[in-house]
Amino acid sequence: MTAPTAGKAAGDGTPISFGGVTYGKDLGVHAPSEVVYHLGGTADRFTALVGIDDFSTNQGATGATKASVRGDGKVLFTSGKLTGAGGPVQVDLDVRGVKLLHLVVEEANANTALDHTSWALARVTVR
């Protein structure tokens, strides 16, 4: 999936990028969002870079979001406030035994225009 563009259909966005580095087709969302993966307790690790996509920054947006990863209802990771100027945050989690993995993005300010947050290089390592 690519980073979404404002007011358009899913799948019509630009390649995901942070600070001019392009990551291709991973997972781009708009706050608020929640994506759930069924791991079934068989995965070992979840890794990703999460941040405000360059698309938002290049549009002059001052978007801000917060990302979290939850496993079976337990918070495994919280990003703190994400902004385009701050760059992406590395996620590297032990998810052994987790059945449902939730990737959650919430708004971090009142202006939700162009709060495009991307999960680049998102990978689950399975036994």
Side-chain angles (χ1 to χ4, degrees):
M1 179 178 223
T2 56
T5 55
K8 305 232 178 165
D12 66 344
T14 59
I16 289 170
S17 66
F18 303 118
V21 177
T22 301
Y23 293 91
K25 297 183 177 185
D26 282 299
L27 179 62
V29 299
H30 188 282
S33 73
E34 180 171 358
V35 177
V36 181
Y37 289 100
H38 184 269
L39 302 181
T42 63
D44 291 318
R45 299 207 74 72
F46 171 74
T47 58
L49 290 175
V50 63
I52 299 287
D53 193 273
D54 283 349
F55 175 80
S56 294
T57 306
N58 293 341
Q59 301 298 312
T62 56
T65 61
K66 296 180 289 186
S68 63
V69 178
R70 301 172 189 163
D72 298 333
K74 178 181 174 186
V75 176
L76 304 175
F77 165 85
T78 303
S79 68
K81 187 175 183 179
L82 298 169
T83 65
V89 174
Q90 177 71 46
V91 181
D92 186 357
L93 301 171
D94 181 340
V95 295
R96 287 177 288 183
V98 171
K99 292 180 176 68
L100 295 176
L101 189 73
H102 297 247
L103 307 183
V104 179
V105 175
E106 301 172 275
E107 301 156 348
N109 63 17
N111 178 12
T112 61
L114 297 172
D115 276 350
H116 296 174
T117 302
S118 295
W119 298 88
L121 303 176
R123 304 291 182 265
V124 173
T125 305
V126 180
R127 293 179 213 138

